[in-house]
Amino acid sequence: MSARQAKRELGRSALIFAALGDRNRLLIIARLSSEGPLSISRLTHGGSVTRQAVTKHLHVLANAGLAGSSKSGRESVWQLEPEPLDAARRCLDSISVQWDAALNRLKTFVER
Amino acid sequence: METDRIEKRVLLRAPRSKVWRALADSTAFGEWFGVTFAEPFVPGARLSGKVTLKGYEHLPFEITIERMEPERLFSWRWHPYAIDPKVDYSGEPTTLVVFELEETAEGTLLTVVESGFDGIPLARRLDAYRGNEKGWATQVKAIERYVGQTS
């Protein structure tokens, strides 16, 4: 990792930690994780935090790359997105590398 | 973005019958795959093997054979991210691995497709990728504990 990359990673980590350093935002993350994608109304319902505050928190999470929204009809639906999807892709890549190694061993095995 | 399947193609400079034996004979299969089996591969059979690859010897290795069409197709199911010996994965979805053989002038063209990753809980995939301590599922549990304590 170059110094520039490292600095960027650090900057991103700082954003993430700042975003997580709030109890209401942690609650939102916990709910998005256990209940899946939710609209702002659903996130506001039953809590003591106003719709405006929830919206603000979601934007802080989005800015740190922890949550994202997509339109569903007239409402925006929020979910924990970029990080897990990215990781899912990397996860598949690691399995893919294992298959390459296994097939190389098969090649050696049948061609000897 | 494709997250459900992996596809590999490899040209093996060997006759199709030899490649088939390397796949369908559980002892031969184990030699290159890195696992030992006590029983033969039979459609429908569920086998438990012992991993022989260095560093992975502690892992369980269970596969269920699906189809065996001599010299043409061999398929089985398994739990792709079964990396924690303490966890019982038997109730979770599996992925399907299909080997297809095709004779060519140069040898045997082998295609391997592993599919069904999207059916595996994302948290499990993340845990498997990052190691058990750092996965999202674990993190979120820690967050829930923390939030529960401070409310």
Side-chain angles (χ1 to χ4, degrees):
Chain A
M1 194 186 286
S2 73
R4 209 162 138 200
Q5 267 178 316
K7 208 175 160 192
R8 204 165 48 220
E9 281 276 299
L10 257 179
R12 190 166 171 257
S13 297
L15 262 180
I16 291 172
F17 290 135
L20 293 175
D22 178 272
R23 190 176 166 273
N24 287 314
R25 285 199 286 273
L26 288 179
L27 272 171
I28 289 174
I29 288 186
R31 283 198 59 194
L32 291 178
S33 168
S34 57
E35 298 174 54
L38 292 172
S39 65
I40 294 178
S41 327
R42 289 283 305 279
L43 278 167
T44 310
H45 186 77
S48 53
V49 185
T50 64
R51 191 184 168 89
Q52 284 77 5
V54 168
T55 308
K56 211 178 104 203
H57 287 314
L58 284 169
H59 283 284
V60 174
L61 291 173
N63 197 33
L66 293 167
S69 66
S70 55
K71 276 258 178 261
S72 168
R74 281 168 52 207
E75 284 222 89
S76 287
V77 170
W78 287 79
Q79 57 189 342
L80 295 177
E81 201 180 16
E83 174 87 356
L85 256 186
D86 187 33
R89 182 64 235 180
R90 279 181 291 164
C91 196
L92 209 61
D93 288 345
S94 74
I95 301 252
S96 177
V97 167
Q98 287 169 32
W99 270 118
D100 287 336
L103 292 178
N104 262 327
R105 293 194 301 269
L106 171 65
K107 197 170 170 64
T108 310
F109 184 77
V110 295
E111 289 182 1
R112 73 185 171 194
Chain B
M1 185 169 73
E2 175 67 75
T3 54
D4 188 64
R5 73 204 291 273
I6 290 171
E7 180 168 341
K8 300 278 169 191
R9 276 172 160 246
V10 61
L11 176 69
L12 303 167
R13 294 182 194 283
R16 198 152 62 132
S17 56
K18 193 172 180 185
V19 175
W20 176 253
R21 266 200 308 280
L23 296 173
D25 178 298
S26 64
T27 307
F29 175 91
E31 249 184 77
W32 62 269
F33 201 85
V35 60
T36 55
F37 294 102
E39 300 104 45
F41 291 158
V42 183
R46 191 169 162 195
L47 293 95
S48 291
K50 279 202 180 342
V51 178
T52 55
L53 285 181
K54 258 199 162 44
Y56 299 93
E57 293 98 333
H58 62 291
L59 296 181
F61 188 95
E62 292 194 346
I63 64 175
T64 303
I65 309 298
E66 291 238 318
R67 287 164 64 191
M68 294 179 83
E69 296 171 23
E71 304 198 10
R72 206 192 76 73
L73 187 146
F74 175 49
S75 64
W76 38 267
R77 291 189 163 275
W78 69 340
H79 295 283
Y81 301 114
I83 52 153
D84 186 349
K86 297 190 289 288
V87 174
D88 176 18
Y89 295 94
S90 55
E92 293 194 2
T94 51
T95 52
L96 175 68
V97 178
V98 182
F99 294 87
E100 278 187 277
L101 289 71
E102 205 181 303
E103 202 160 75
T104 69
E106 301 89 45
T108 308
L109 184 63
L110 179 72
T111 308
V112 186
V113 175
E114 180 169 4
S115 61
F117 288 101
D118 284 349
I120 314 287
L122 190 58
R124 173 78 68 222
R125 286 186 267 169
L126 301 181
D127 285 354
Y129 175 69
R130 296 175 177 173
N132 276 322
E133 300 310 311
K134 293 187 230 150
W136 255 116
T138 314
Q139 299 287 23
V140 167
K141 276 202 193 84
I143 290 171
E144 279 168 348
R145 270 202 302 278
Y146 169 79
V147 170
Q149 270 167 16
T150 57
S151 59

